[in-house]
């Protein structure tokens, strides 16, 4: 089971995670800071989620296949 | 003995079996954990076999289900390359091909499915099934621009292989019993949209047909003779006519078998024996006797089985879900689309080629499925509506 | 004064040179005129030799020069690395004209940087930028209509590359379009490598003065734009007038020149790589336009002056020790041509996956306007070549004037015809 952790207070609102995995990440309206839509995304977005973790400029996204 | 200390044996170490192991450990399980699999490869993910691995976009290392570190962290014994051959239900013991006898306090059967073959087609060069990494690697080697591929079977697998191969420049014909590709899974309207996508990609479509025989010369396939009388020339044939649950080894085990291992709503097949994934036919509280062959169910059902082993089980009542990627479109279905479903577009539009639709049954007008067509974000949002509707209806 | 002879250590240098003693190269370095899209040969050679070396700035200081992708990525996200320009030792070339006061939050560290940055991130979020797309498409189409009506040859910079992003940013920020040439002039002065400190100061003052006035106007007549939002924050005491004006200058400058330069330089690069341009023209797959934009960002990396930082503690990296108080320059243009990060990196390949490039930087200061920049470039390149498919250079490459002296690379003019 995929698990995604987002460290929101590190976020700088670059939006890269949304571009990489739009069904898993969104940005909140007041300041564009990232929000996690799916803590356990289903397997077909695993590659996208890992891409999001790779491009996050502040390394705020962590993906594991274990809780 | 406490549940968390029981010895657990998991037969089958692919998506479902591995997920059970991980869920057990996460749930505090401390007992011995043994996984056994007939495959010699470390566990790998199957959905990419008909997509990225077949096209060559990924190499084999990218389909590994878990890193070696993650596998070690399970603190389990992983026995690869040894096929289970016999199960004693009462004694809770399994005998393998190498002669090992494994006993446990709890057994999980996760042996999956094996692909159906065309009768008499073994040992014909150029005829492929697609279930394993080795199958996919072999098929990838054969597919080159201009070569002719005939896909027998127009369900999900056949349709995906056709799409992937056509993007590789292969000359593809997609044949099968359904009138249009994936009609049973998509309903007639969406299935006709898929047919249009295939045609636009240059794939020849032949619906409502079966295979009379293969044309073979010198041990190699040269063509496929359809029941319509047409003969399609072929350098390669992929047989994608469905799978049967891998239960032959259980025929005298004492377990009830009926297109899968028959289980109750907790996925229990017998005292201290569970089944999970493609092989499991369980009693879905709302949908009745059901066997789902898809990737999402492997992971979700595994959680249910692990919980039950640990004593926290609940009836397993998922909303079935599958996806397929074809021609650059992510097609998703939450729920089941009945043949006579009415589709109401809620996002996007059909003419632009990207939309989300809710399927309702004509009689009750209740949403029974969400169909996503190239709009994964909105599809995800509509799934929530389906859950609300269903919980209200129930 | 520290000697100009510094032992450069070989850190898994690919060329295998061991312990060469040579003076640090002057920075910035000169490009090879016949390869205007590639980093300076001396810079590439430095990358080949090792991940860290030193360079000499015009003030005689010798900051570290980080040449490779992995090391830059590590350092730009290291908390021991500061962007605070007021700290002694921060690497600034003498003619950059900075004063002791911070230009804006880009030259600050967290937490103050984060607080200020979050005040202006909302308009640039992905879904808002996507919603702006039809408006941007119209701006582009109108400019191309004018170009087509006038007939070629035209200077693409003046007719298209400069006005397009300025129209977009003015609309987003709430600056009346009639004032945009005023901003053009002053933002050019701010980033021209050859402008003297007095000229820079005058430009900043002019912009800040104007923005004070605009913010006052927005306080009384708010609209749905960034300056109205900033004016409200000033009124609510979240921000001083000066801070708001400075932030305004930053957004204007950042949004104009960079995008304008990418449009012109990217068009030139496409014209110089006809096989790649053909792929772009013949495909109707929007994903190719998206990946083409990423690849052009990578290939061109117009912010060729490097990302400048200061170490606030000692940092051990790849066999070197950066001491506290030493300046560090991250050559992101070199990172984007690092063969460890991008295979065959000097090749323009519009279909490759270049999404991990560092053209927008990395770390907490990574460009906050990037979703807007990407969208503008997608619309600009795709519309230009769709509507003027036989666009071609109306001069030779050798005659195109490149902005070698700008802190943002580009071309001063680009004569084209069709």
């Amino acid at each position: 089971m995929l698990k995604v952790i987002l460290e929101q207070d590190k976020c700088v609102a670059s939006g890269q995670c949304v571009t990489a995995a739009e069904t898993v990440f969104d940005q909140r309206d007041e300041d564009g800071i990232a929000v996690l839509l799916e803590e356990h995304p289903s397997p077909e977005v695993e590659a996208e989620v890992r891409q999001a973790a790779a491009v996050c400029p502040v390394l705020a996204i962590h993906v594991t296949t274990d809780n | 003995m406490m549940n968390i200390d029981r010895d657990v044996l998991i037969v089958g170490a692919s998506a479902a079996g591995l997920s059970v192991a991980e869920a057990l450990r996460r749930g505090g399980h401390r007992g011995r954990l043994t996984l056994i699999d007939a495959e010699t490869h470390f566990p790998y993910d199957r959905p990419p076999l008909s997509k990225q691995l077949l096209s060559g976009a990924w190499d084999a290392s990218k389909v590994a289900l878990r890193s070696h570190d993650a596998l070690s962290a399970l603190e389990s014994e992983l026995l690869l390359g040894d096929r289970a051959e016999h199960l004693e239900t009462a004694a809770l013991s399994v005998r393998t091909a190498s002669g090992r006898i494994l006993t446990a306090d709890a057994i999980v059967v996760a042996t999956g499915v094996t692909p159906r073959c065309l009768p008499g087609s073994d040992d014909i060069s150029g005829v492929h099934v697609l279930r394993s990494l080795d199958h996919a690697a072999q098929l990838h080697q054969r597919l080159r621009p201009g070569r002719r591929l005939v896909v027998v079977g127009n369900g999900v697998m056949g349709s995906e292989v056709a799409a992937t191969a056509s993007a590789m420049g292969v000359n593809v014909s997609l044949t099968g019993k359904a009138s249009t590709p994936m009609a049973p899974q998509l309903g007639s309207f969406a299935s006709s949209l898929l047919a249009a996508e295939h045609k636009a990609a240059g794939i020849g479509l032949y619906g409502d047909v079966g295979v009379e025989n293969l044309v073979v010369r010198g041990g190699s396939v040269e063509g496929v003779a359809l029941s319509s009388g047409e003969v399609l020339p072929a350098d390669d044939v992929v047989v994608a006519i469905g799978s049967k649950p891998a239960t032959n080894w259980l025929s005298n085990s004492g377990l009830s078998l009926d297109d899968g291992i028959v289980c109750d709503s907790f996925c229990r097949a017998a005292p201290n024996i569970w089944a999970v994934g493609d092989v499991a036919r369980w009693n879905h509280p709302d949908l009745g006797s059901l066997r789902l062959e898809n990737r999402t169910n492997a992971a979700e059902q595994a959680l249910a089985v692990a919980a039950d082993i640990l004593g926290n089980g609940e009836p397993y009542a998922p909303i079935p879900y599958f996806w397929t990627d074809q021609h650059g479109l992510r097609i998703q279905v939450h729920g089941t689309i009945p043949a006579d479903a009415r589709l109401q577009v809620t996002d996007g539009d059909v003419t632009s080629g990207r939309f989300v639709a809710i399927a309702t049954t004509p009689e009750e007008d209740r949403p029974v499925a969400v169909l996503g067509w190239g709009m994964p974000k909105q599809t995800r949002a509509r799934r929530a509506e389906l859950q609300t509707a269903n919980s209200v209806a129930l | 004064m520290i000697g100009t002879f510094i032992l450069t250590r070989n850190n898994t240098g690919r060329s295998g040179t061991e312990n060469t003693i040579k003076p640090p190269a002057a920075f910035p370095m000169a490009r090879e005129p016949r390869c205007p899209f590639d980093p300076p040969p001396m810079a590439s050679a430095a990358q080949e030799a090792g991940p860290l070396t030193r360079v000499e700035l015009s003030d005689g200081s010798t900051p570290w020069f980080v040449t490779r992708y992995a090391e830059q990525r590590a350092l730009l996200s290291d908390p021991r690395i500061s962007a605070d320009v007021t700290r002694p030792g921060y690497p600034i070339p003498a003619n950059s004209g900075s004063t002791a006061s911070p230009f804006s939050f880009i030259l600050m560290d967290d937490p103050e940087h984060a607080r200020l940055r979050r005040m202006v991130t909302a308009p640039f979020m992905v879904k808002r930028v996507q919603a702006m797309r039809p408006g941007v498409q119209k701006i582009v189409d109108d400019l191309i209509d004018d170009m087509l009506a006038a007939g070629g040859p035209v200077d693409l910079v003046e007719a298209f590359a400069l006005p397009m992003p300025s129209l977009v940013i003015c609309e987003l920020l709430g600056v009346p379009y009639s004032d945009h040439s005023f901003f053009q002039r002053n933002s050019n002065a701010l980033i021209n490598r050859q402008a003297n400190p007095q000229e820079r100061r005058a430009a900043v003052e002019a912009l800040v003065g104007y923005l004070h006035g605009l913010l006052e106007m927005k306080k009384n007549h708010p609209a749905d734009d960034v300056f109205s939002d900033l004016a409200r924050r000033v009124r609510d005491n979240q921000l001083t007038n000066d801070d708001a004006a400075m932030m305004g200058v930053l957004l204007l400058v950042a949004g104009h020149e960079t995008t304008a330069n990418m449009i012109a330089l990217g068009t030139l690069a496409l014209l110089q790589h006809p096989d790649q341009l053909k792929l772009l023209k013949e495909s109707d797959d929007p994903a190719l336009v998206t990946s083409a934009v990423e690849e052009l960002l990578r290939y061109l990396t117009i912010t060729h002056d490097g990302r400048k930082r200061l170490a606030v503690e000692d940092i051990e990296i790849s066999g070197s020790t950066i001491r506290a108080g030493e300046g560090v320059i991250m050559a992101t243009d070199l990172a984007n041509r690092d063969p460890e990060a991008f295979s065959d990196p000097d090749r323009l390949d519009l279909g490759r996956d270049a999404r991990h490039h560092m053209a927008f930087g990395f770390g907490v200061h990574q460009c906050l306007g990037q979703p807007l920049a990407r969208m503008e470039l997608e619309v600009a390149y795709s519309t230009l070549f769709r509507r003027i498919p036989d666009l071609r250079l109306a001069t030779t490459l050798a005659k195109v004037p490149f902005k070698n002296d700008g802190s943002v690379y580009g071309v001063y003019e680009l004569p084209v015809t069709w």
Side-chain angles (χ1 to χ4, degrees), chain C residues 143-172:
Chain C
L143 286 168
I144 294 178
D145 286 344
D146 291 346
M147 273 173 66
L148 290 172
V154 302
D155 172 13
L156 191 73
V157 170
E158 200 194 312
F160 185 68
L162 270 177
M164 184 234 168
S166 64
L167 282 162
V168 172
I169 205 78
C170 283
E171 213 169 277
L172 176 71

Side-chain angles (χ1 to χ4, degrees), chain B residues 124-125 214-223 234:
Chain B
I124 302 175
S125 169
L214 297 176
V215 177
V216 180
R217 191 147 54 132
S220 296
V221 72
E222 288 205 335

